Amino acid sequence: MKKPYFSLLAGMLLLGCGAASAANSPLQQQLAEMDKGASSALDSFVYTIDGLDVTAWMDGNPVIIKVPIFNEHHEWQGDSRYYFKQGKLFAVAMPYGSYQFDNKGAMILWLNEEGKSEELPGSAAWNQRQEWLKNRAGKLALAFLPSRYELELKRPNTEVHVQGEEKIAYLCRGRLYALTGAEKIISDTLAPKVQGDSQSGKVQILVNKQWQPIQFSCHVDGANRVNHLTYRLLPAESGK
């Protein structure tokens, strides 16, 4: 596990210290500093969310969440990056615009791809964009919080006692439930294989009363956290 982010950056960005200096710096400079600090100081997590492999740099809560952007031909067009300070949305940077929020959740800056002001505060477009970004950021951040299974394993009086391969399978299943929203998860034949700290294989998930086969890959780090879980939908099987 990497060293705490706060200690390596002296808390200047995430704790709001050096506010005067930050206020005199362009938004892009602040985000570049956060990118640099996160890549060197934070643990990264990769989860499949809404069909996309999303990366988060975490310090308890997400600090930066990166979401790839694809066109209709599934060609990569860049990334959206959501920035958080003390668990609150601070900014969003996209290939076609950047947005900054205050600590109460209000959008205070909207810049286009050229770094120029795009809309006036209070306009219909401003309010619509503000709500969409806040809702999207909230959904993304929630996906990276510990699963119910992870929390149960850490509970002092838990009745769940698993070790070795059973623990890996338990934590991976819990994260899979959280990410897919499945009502039930089953494997048709042999259980997905566990190798070391990883598990991968094929399972069936029940979502909205429909069974869907998926292929997944999961890894658990030394702190009993699922730091990687990606999955892909497979063609539906008849008779299920």
Side-chain angles (χ1 to χ4, degrees):
M1 191 184 304
K2 295 182 180 180
K3 294 180 180 179
Y5 188 49
F6 293 148
S7 62
L8 291 178
L9 291 187
M12 288 186 65
L13 288 172
L14 297 183
L15 293 178
C17 297
S21 174
N24 295 326
S25 301
L27 175 62
Q28 295 302 326
Q29 181 178 336
Q30 295 186 64
L31 301 187
E33 291 174 354
M34 292 181 73
D35 285 332
K36 182 178 179 181
S39 64
S40 63
L42 296 183
D43 295 314
S44 62
F45 294 70
V46 180
Y47 295 158
T48 298
I49 303 172
D50 296 333
L52 299 171
D53 291 346
V54 177
T55 304
W57 287 266
M58 304 275 290
D59 189 9
N61 290 313
V63 174
I64 301 174
I65 299 178
K66 182 182 72 173
V67 185
I69 301 172
F70 296 94
N71 63 16
E72 63 273 17
H73 303 296
H74 204 68
E75 297 168 332
W76 180 73
Q77 303 296 295
D79 300 309
S80 295
R81 299 174 78 94
Y82 294 76
Y83 298 82
F84 301 82
K85 290 186 177 183
Q86 295 180 291
K88 296 181 179 180
L89 180 63
F90 166 66
V92 181
M94 298 178 170
Y96 44 83
S98 299
Y99 314 86
Q100 185 176 357
F101 295 79
D102 64 18
N103 59 11
K104 295 182 180 180
M107 193 165 75
I108 57 175
L109 181 66
W110 179 352
L111 303 176
N112 62 19
E113 62 272 16
E114 298 176 350
K116 299 178 180 179
S117 180
E118 183 72 13
E119 291 284 348
L120 294 176
S123 67
W126 183 283
N127 293 332
Q128 184 179 27
R129 176 62 60 171
Q130 172 181 274
E131 292 308 308
W132 188 90
L133 290 169
K134 288 170 61 178
N135 290 338
R136 180 61 170 159
K139 180 178 180 180
L140 291 169
L142 186 63
F144 284 94
L145 294 181
S147 72
R148 180 169 57 88
Y149 283 50
E150 289 178 57
L151 294 174
E152 177 61 32
L153 201 61
K154 295 177 181 178
R155 193 168 61 87
N157 298 319
T158 181
E159 296 181 359
V160 177
H161 302 286
V162 288
Q163 298 294 331
E165 292 187 357
E166 287 187 354
K167 181 174 67 176
I168 301 303
Y170 175 84
L171 291 170
C172 288
R173 179 168 289 255
R175 178 55 62 182
L176 198 55
Y177 267 115
L179 291 176
T180 63
E183 304 157 37
K184 191 174 183 180
I185 299 176
I186 62 172
S187 53
D188 291 338
T189 53
L190 297 176
K193 190 174 183 180
V194 175
Q195 290 184 316
D197 295 329
S198 301
Q199 183 184 38
S200 61
K202 174 184 169 184
V203 294
Q204 295 266 354
I205 62 173
L206 180 63
V207 180
N208 297 325
K209 300 182 179 180
Q210 296 289 327
W211 287 99
Q212 172 68 54
I214 67 170
Q215 186 81 26
F216 77 95
S217 175
C218 173
H219 181 267
V220 178
D221 68 12
N224 291 333
R225 302 174 303 181
V226 176
N227 61 357
H228 179 103
L229 196 152
T230 55
Y231 68 91
R232 294 290 179 268
L233 301 181
L234 300 174
E237 299 176 355
S238 59
K240 194 67 183 173

